[in-house]
Amino acid sequence: NAGVMQNPRHLVRRRGQEARLRCSPMKGHSHVYWYRQLPEEGLKFMVYLQKENIIDESGMPKERFSAEFPKEGPSILRIQQVVRGDSAAYFCASSPPFGGGQGNQPQHFGDGTRLSIL
Amino acid sequence: GDSVTQMEGPVTLSEEAFLTINCTYTATGYPSLFWYVQYPGEGLQLLLKATKADDKGSNKGFEATYRKETTSFHLEKGSVQVSDSAVYFCALRNQAGTALIFGKGTTLSVSS
């Protein structure tokens, strides 16, 4: 049962380093979403991608954060020059292509990557 | 903008008690509504959903009805179990269909 796979599960970085988080969507899913969960908070949308395209990045911080979903391989969320405030759980979700109407396709979540900044 | 408001937790119940977790939303149009559950150390699992007014979503004894007139989607279960202890998130899909908007989550703790 290949669900959404995220790795690593835990990632520790020092301030100023780069963090790379990977997400492989469920089989047959071509849409990927990234969310961030700060302690005691709900999930906040960051970015929505389809293969080779960023569709909505309205939740992405303007600097240091980037995301990609190449034709081959997993989606990558990259955080450059990490700071303490980047410590959070980062969740990836995927959904199949939209059918007759958007909004009816649920998103399936991975177990997340817990990023800690020293 | 779109938003979801959930009742503050934690909610502490004894086994077999009745559960209600309130959820109200603000949105343009009639968004799809969802309840997700998160167990410790895990990702979110879809619990149930409703896509139009008066729809009732149900799964594993949990139910929620899409109420357009009160813009609500309250989660209920008639008899909770210890294994239901988790964090529950109410969410809506934004009008563009590109993102889920989540509430802050409600922690449920059930004791035997």
Side-chain angles (χ1 to χ4, degrees), chain A residues 11 13-22 34-36 46 60-61 63-67 76-90 113-117:
Chain A
L11 181 62
R13 285 288 178 266
R14 296 188 181 280
R15 282 178 294 171
Q17 292 184 320
E18 178 179 282
R20 280 188 173 225
L21 288 62
R22 286 177 289 278
W34 285 94
Y35 293 82
R36 176 165 62 176
M46 300 180 75
M60 286 279 270
E63 298 176 348
R64 301 189 298 109
F65 285 72
S66 62
I76 305 287
L77 178 68
R78 180 192 297 176
I79 311 173
Q80 295 177 301
Q81 300 176 324
V82 295
V83 300
R84 288 246 170 89
D86 296 331
S87 295
Y90 291 83
T113 293
R114 280 143 184 89
L115 176 65
S116 298
I117 308 302

Side-chain angles (χ1 to χ4, degrees), chain A residues 9 111 114, chain B residues 37-43 45 83-87 108:
Chain A
R9 288 295 305 274
D111 285 343
R114 280 143 184 89
Chain B
V37 58
Q38 184 180 33
Y39 298 100
E42 297 183 9
Q45 300 174 26
S83 57
D84 294 327
S85 299
V87 182
L108 171 65

Side-chain angles (χ1 to χ4, degrees), chain A:
Chain A
N1 181 17
V4 178
M5 302 300 292
Q6 289 188 250
N7 66 82
R9 288 295 305 274
H10 301 274
L11 181 62
V12 179
R13 285 288 178 266
R14 296 188 181 280
R15 282 178 294 171
Q17 292 184 320
E18 178 179 282
R20 280 188 173 225
L21 288 62
R22 286 177 289 278
C23 170
S24 295
M26 284 181 68
K27 187 175 182 180
H29 287 192
S30 56
H31 298 196
V32 165
Y33 314 78
W34 285 94
Y35 293 82
R36 176 165 62 176
Q37 184 180 32
L38 295 170
E40 308 301 323
E41 297 265 336
L43 278 70
K44 301 292 186 187
F45 168 75
M46 300 180 75
V47 62
Y48 160 48
L49 310 101
Q50 296 178 20
K51 284 284 187 182
E52 299 185 280
N53 286 302
I54 296 174
I55 307 301
D56 181 353
E57 55 182 347
S58 58
M60 286 279 270
K62 297 296 181 215
E63 298 176 348
R64 301 189 298 109
F65 285 72
S66 62
E68 62 178 10
F69 188 17
K71 187 177 181 180
E72 301 292 337
S75 176
I76 305 287
L77 178 68
R78 180 192 297 176
I79 311 173
Q80 295 177 301
Q81 300 176 324
V82 295
V83 300
R84 288 246 170 89
D86 296 331
S87 295
Y90 291 83
F91 289 94
C92 171
S94 71
S95 69
F98 293 148
Q102 289 186 358
N104 293 338
Q105 299 290 350
Q107 296 179 14
H108 299 265
F109 283 78
D111 285 343
T113 293
R114 280 143 184 89
L115 176 65
S116 298
I117 308 302
L118 302 179

Side-chain angles (χ1 to χ4, degrees), chain B residues 14-74:
Chain B
S14 298
E15 208 165 21
E16 300 183 3
F18 184 84
L19 168 71
T20 299
I21 300 178
N22 290 339
C23 171
T24 57
Y25 66 90
T26 302
T28 305
Y30 303 108
S32 293
L33 301 174
F34 306 85
W35 276 99
Y36 281 85
V37 58
Q38 184 180 33
Y39 298 100
E42 297 183 9
L44 276 70
Q45 300 174 26
L46 178 65
L47 183 58
L48 53 85
K49 68 173 184 176
T51 58
K52 61 183 188 295
D54 299 325
D55 264 3
K56 177 185 281 188
S58 61
N59 185 27
K60 299 180 181 179
F62 291 90
E63 292 182 340
T65 301
Y66 191 142
R67 301 286 187 201
K68 181 180 66 174
E69 60 278 8
T70 55
T71 61
S72 64
F73 193 53
H74 304 321

